[in-house]
Amino acid sequence: MTPAVGPSRSQPATLSDVARLAGVSIATASKALNGRTQVRAETRQRVIEAAERLAFRPNQLARGLLVGRSGTVGLLTSDLEGRFSIPILMGAEDAFGAGEVAVFLCDARGDAIREQHHVRALLGRRVDGLIVVGSRTDPRPSLGRELPVPVVYAYAPSDDPDDLSIVPDSVDAGRIAVEHLLACGRTRIAHITGDPGYLAAQERAEGALTALADAGLAPVGEPRFGAWSEGWGRAATALLLDRHPDLDAVLCGSDQIARGVMDVLRERGHRVPEDVAVMGFDNWQVLTAASRPPLTSVDMNLEQVGRAAAHALFGAIGGVRHSGVETVRCRVVIRGSTAPLS
Amino acid sequence: MTPAVGPSRSQPATLSDVARLAGVSIATASKALNGRTQVRAETRQRVIEAAERLAFRPNQLARGLLVGRSGTVGLLTSDLEGRFSIPILMGAEDAFGAGEVAVFLCDARGDAIREQHHVRALLGRRVDGLIVVGSRTDPRPSLGRELPVPVVYAYAPSDDPDDLSIVPDSVDAGRIAVEHLLACGRTRIAHITGDPGYLAAQERAEGALTALADAGLAPVGEPRFGAWSEGWGRAATALLLDRHPDLDAVLCGSDQIARGVMDVLRERGHRVPEDVAVMGFDNWQVLTAASRPPLTSVDMNLEQVGRAAAHALFGAIGGVRHSGVETVRCRVVIRGSTAPLS
DNA sequence: TAGCTTTCAGAAAGCCTTTTCGGTTTCTTT
DNA sequence: AAAGAAACCGAAAAGGCTTTCTGAAAGCTA
């Protein structure tokens, strides 16, 4: 690393620089560059060339100060490392980035104090709105109703029904998963899932049981709750096979669990998917693609959750306020671990 | 989702509101709130209470306009989904978030056009600096020297040596990995790694070979390049065992490869770590923790890369300009897959 | 009490842009 | 050619804040 004397960075050009170079007033320069009428085409051209030459970029701070909207939104996440926040964040960034909106990223690390701090800082910067991204689908404390800007909660809904939240439809996710297995001709279906303290685990199980009941079936054993890990998948499968060696499908609460399940199935001589179909949740590429065979999984469409949140916020900024919990449907991504019974 | 008429969101309080409530001029109010002298303690107190009552938050847009610094930086990433960008991003966000700086997040999706677009937008918002985060350690095109604000490149260095880049030390990473295996008493070490088009793969291999040579050893077979996948790990291991059944350690270019390697080793009856030690790169928790046994891996300290980038940018904004490539050392995280030979 | 310093408050300029509105020039029209 | 219309341009204000500089009041000394 070599210290060096920087080239004196010249201040960025201002509108008055452009106006001076083009030989017009500031007002005319502004109108020319903003495509407004009341400027002769020839004059406009001169201004545009001047702006070009000076690499002029209008100062958004000044514009924001004037028009009362900063053109920025705050994205408040509770855990950047969490793999659920990122796709949502991408979707939101995507939906905004296309337009004229820039996104402030803040990570509260699950700490309410830090979150409060970030909210204050963002309000000081006059963001036009806020998206709060959670890391699990359980409700989280509302930021309150007294904020001067609209707020949309994504993935983790607010506990205040008066707020607007966008979440994946976990109940439906459980249902469509079972329906896929039924469509493959499976009838002896078990469910191994994760931490019972997670609403997502409960809701998926609920949806799955409903779909089974609708088909006049009962699950093979009760749904088994445990942890979101491969280890639990392995342990639960071992127990399950001892009691119900005749099962023909296992619906897993996560892709990690599914990997553990598949490992034990293979070790015990059950073929996937010929003997037993296996299916996961989350559609986490690195796991679904690498497993043998590739794993069918339910994708939560998190990017779409992010985009929907961005659009809702956009609407709210425009004055269209909504409230309640809006759900986004999940989808089954079919791979080799599920196939019709031949 | 229920449409509703929003409560008319009151405009945030301004300094002049505070001044009026406190019965002073806005100049005095400003000085009182900013802890400047020339204000009687009693007056200051009155102003502070007024500000409190109105929930006054100074408008950073106005302040930025005035002082010529916005207190914001742009974080330009090329792939948000990439698992390498995120920790760096966290580190940077962390280093800034503590202070008075807010971070604009932009994802260019690996598209140069979009990147250029984002740079322009950020400059329009008068960011004080830019951090460019890449998704692999190969050099990337510089944004150019003509930017009005300092730029720091993280993970992927700039191809212009006059820019400042912060990257993990991949050569050293290869070296310390081998040194760990040597310290475990291993001497017949093979290297299975990923895509040879990645500089990281080349440099890690180089460091590994150097460390072996320094110990007077040669690798078991040549380093095998392939893909960063479990499948390649499995395939390469099968080939390797056929030719060199006597090896006692495999250094893998990634955790994914390592998982494939361990699977095949186990299937063929080699115990890990008793017979063969296995070690990966990236220290990706979900893989290292779930494998059997837990995987020893080299952590690239990416958060530290992000923090270092943020600090460097901070310095550059303050006028201390550096250039060249600065490296951050990696570290070995020891788990069950490597152990001393007994 | 006159003259000095010290302490504190406020007026005003400035940051950069947009927009309104009044003023000047050019073009039509009869 | 003169009046009216149209086209074009610029002065100025506004937005919220910080800072400098001026002014006033209070406290001090002789």
Side-chain angles (χ1 to χ4, degrees):
Chain A
M1 196 159 88
T2 312
V5 179
S8 63
R9 303 186 182 283
S10 54
Q11 296 294 332
T14 76
L15 187 57
S16 91
D17 296 328
V18 175
R20 193 167 338 109
L21 181 58
V24 297
S25 75
I26 297 181
T28 304
S30 172
K31 282 181 287 197
L33 293 176
N34 290 319
R36 312 200 62 91
T37 177
Q38 301 228 334
V39 181
R40 192 168 40 185
E42 166 197 325
T43 309
R44 185 187 306 277
Q45 194 52 39
R46 225 169 54 236
V47 173
I48 290 177
E49 277 164 13
E52 190 79 23
R53 192 122 59 96
L54 297 174
F56 170 72
R57 311 251 91 221
N59 185 331
Q60 296 298 129
L61 272 59
R63 161 180 278 176
L65 184 57
L66 194 58
V67 306
R69 303 219 285 93
S70 65
T72 61
V73 303
L75 207 47
L76 205 51
T77 168
S78 46
D79 68 328
L80 256 183
E81 59 195 321
R83 64 184 192 284
F84 298 130
S85 321
I86 302 300
I88 297 171
L89 203 146
M90 282 184 64
E93 214 267 339
D94 184 35
F96 285 131
E100 293 300 276
V101 180
V103 172
F104 279 119
L105 174 68
C106 297
D107 183 3
R109 315 266 156 113
D111 177 4
I113 303 291
R114 208 183 321 238
E115 181 174 274
Q116 201 54 39
H117 174 80
H118 277 139
V119 170
R120 294 168 110 82
L122 288 170
L123 292 179
R125 299 213 125 86
R126 293 302 186 266
V127 292
D128 298 328
L130 242 35
I131 293 183
V132 181
V133 181
S135 56
R136 43 190 288 192
T137 60
D138 301 76
R140 49 146 291 148
S142 172
L143 288 184
R145 306 183 179 192
E146 298 308 318
L147 293 178
V149 296
V151 183
V152 175
Y153 298 79
Y155 200 63
S158 163
D159 61 4
D160 181 348
D162 206 49
D163 290 325
L164 172 60
S165 310
I166 315 271
V167 303
D169 188 340
S170 293
V171 176
D172 186 63
R175 184 161 36 228
I176 63 176
V178 164
E179 282 166 1
H180 170 63
L181 291 174
L182 293 173
C184 289
R186 314 289 167 153
T187 53
R188 297 185 299 282
I189 302 174
H191 185 33
I192 298 176
T193 187
D195 188 332
Y198 279 63
L199 183 61
Q202 299 292 347
E203 290 188 337
R204 289 170 185 172
E206 176 193 337
L209 292 181
T210 304
L212 281 172
D214 288 352
L217 294 173
V220 172
E222 288 300 300
R224 288 165 192 256
F225 293 88
W228 301 108
S229 67
E230 290 190 33
W232 164 243
R234 289 193 295 262
T237 306
L239 291 171
L240 190 65
L241 286 177
D242 289 344
R243 293 259 274 270
H244 308 280
D246 61 335
L247 54 80
D248 63 11
V250 182
L251 176 59
C252 306
S254 76
D255 293 334
Q256 294 172 77
I257 293 173
R259 282 211 63 163
V261 169
M262 284 171 69
D263 279 354
V264 172
L265 284 172
R266 189 172 45 242
E267 285 170 11
R268 297 230 188 165
H270 294 81
R271 294 169 304 164
V272 175
E274 292 82 358
D275 304 326
V276 181
V278 176
M279 165 160 200
F281 273 91
D282 301 343
N283 192 31
W284 197 7
Q285 291 283 344
V286 65
L287 293 180
T288 55
S291 63
R292 290 176 290 173
L295 183 67
T296 295
S297 188
V298 178
D299 190 299
M300 288 193 279
N301 286 326
L302 292 179
E303 286 201 38
Q304 198 185 327
V305 170
R307 275 198 294 274
H311 283 131
L313 187 61
F314 222 69
I317 291 172
V320 189
R321 205 169 140 269
H322 293 254
S323 59
V325 176
E326 185 180 348
T327 57
V328 170
R329 291 204 66 186
C330 303
R331 70 179 203 277
V332 176
V333 177
I334 301 173
R335 298 199 183 81
S337 68
T338 58
L341 275 181
S342 51
Chain B
M1 198 159 86
T2 312
V5 179
S8 64
R9 304 186 182 286
S10 55
Q11 296 294 333
T14 76
L15 186 57
S16 90
D17 296 329
V18 174
R20 191 166 340 107
L21 181 58
V24 299
S25 74
I26 62 171
T28 304
S30 172
K31 283 181 286 195
L33 293 175
N34 290 318
R36 315 202 56 96
T37 176
Q38 301 227 333
V39 181
R40 191 167 38 185
E42 165 197 327
T43 310
R44 185 187 306 277
Q45 193 53 38
R46 225 170 52 238
V47 173
I48 290 176
E49 278 164 13
E52 190 79 23
R53 192 123 57 98
L54 297 174
F56 170 71
R57 310 252 90 219
N59 185 330
Q60 297 297 128
L61 272 58
R63 161 179 277 172
L65 186 57
L66 192 58
V67 305
R69 301 217 289 94
S70 64
T72 62
V73 303
L75 207 45
L76 204 52
T77 167
S78 46
D79 68 328
L80 255 183
E81 60 195 323
R83 63 185 193 285
F84 298 128
S85 321
I86 302 299
I88 297 171
L89 202 144
M90 280 185 66
E93 214 268 342
D94 183 36
F96 285 131
E100 293 301 278
V101 180
V103 172
F104 279 120
L105 174 68
C106 296
D107 183 3
R109 315 263 157 116
D111 177 3
I113 304 290
R114 209 182 322 238
E115 181 173 277
Q116 201 54 39
H117 173 81
H118 277 137
V119 170
R120 293 168 111 81
L122 289 169
L123 291 179
R125 297 199 183 277
R126 294 299 186 269
V127 293
D128 298 329
L130 240 36
I131 294 184
V132 180
V133 181
S135 55
R136 42 190 288 193
T137 60
D138 301 75
R140 50 147 289 149
S142 172
L143 289 184
R145 305 183 179 191
E146 298 307 317
L147 292 178
V149 297
V151 182
V152 175
Y153 299 80
Y155 199 64
S158 163
D159 60 5
D160 181 348
D162 206 51
D163 289 326
L164 173 59
S165 309
I166 315 269
V167 302
D169 188 339
S170 293
V171 177
D172 186 62
R175 185 163 33 229
I176 62 177
V178 164
E179 282 167 0
H180 169 63
L181 292 173
L182 293 172
C184 290
R186 315 288 167 154
T187 53
R188 297 185 300 283
I189 302 175
H191 185 32
I192 299 175
T193 187
D195 188 333
Y198 279 62
L199 184 61
Q202 299 291 348
E203 290 188 337
R204 289 170 184 171
E206 175 194 335
L209 291 181
T210 305
L212 282 171
D214 288 352
L217 294 172
V220 171
E222 288 300 298
R224 288 163 192 257
F225 293 88
W228 302 108
S229 66
E230 291 191 32
W232 165 243
R234 289 193 294 262
T237 306
L239 292 171
L240 189 65
L241 286 177
D242 290 343
R243 292 259 274 271
H244 307 280
D246 62 334
L247 55 78
D248 63 10
V250 183
L251 176 59
C252 305
S254 75
D255 293 333
Q256 293 172 78
I257 294 173
R259 282 210 63 162
V261 169
M262 285 171 69
D263 279 355
V264 171
L265 285 172
R266 189 171 42 243
E267 286 170 10
R268 297 230 187 164
H270 294 81
R271 294 170 305 164
V272 176
E274 292 81 357
D275 304 326
V276 181
V278 177
M279 162 160 203
F281 274 90
D282 302 343
N283 192 31
W284 198 6
Q285 291 283 343
V286 65
L287 292 180
T288 55
S291 61
R292 292 176 288 173
L295 183 66
T296 294
S297 188
V298 179
D299 189 299
M300 289 192 280
N301 285 326
L302 292 179
E303 285 202 38
Q304 199 185 328
V305 170
R307 275 198 295 274
H311 283 130
L313 187 61
F314 222 69
I317 291 171
V320 188
R321 203 168 142 269
H322 293 254
S323 60
V325 176
E326 186 180 345
T327 57
V328 170
R329 290 204 67 186
C330 303
R331 71 178 202 278
V332 175
V333 177
I334 302 173
R335 298 198 181 82
S337 68
T338 59
L341 276 180
S342 50

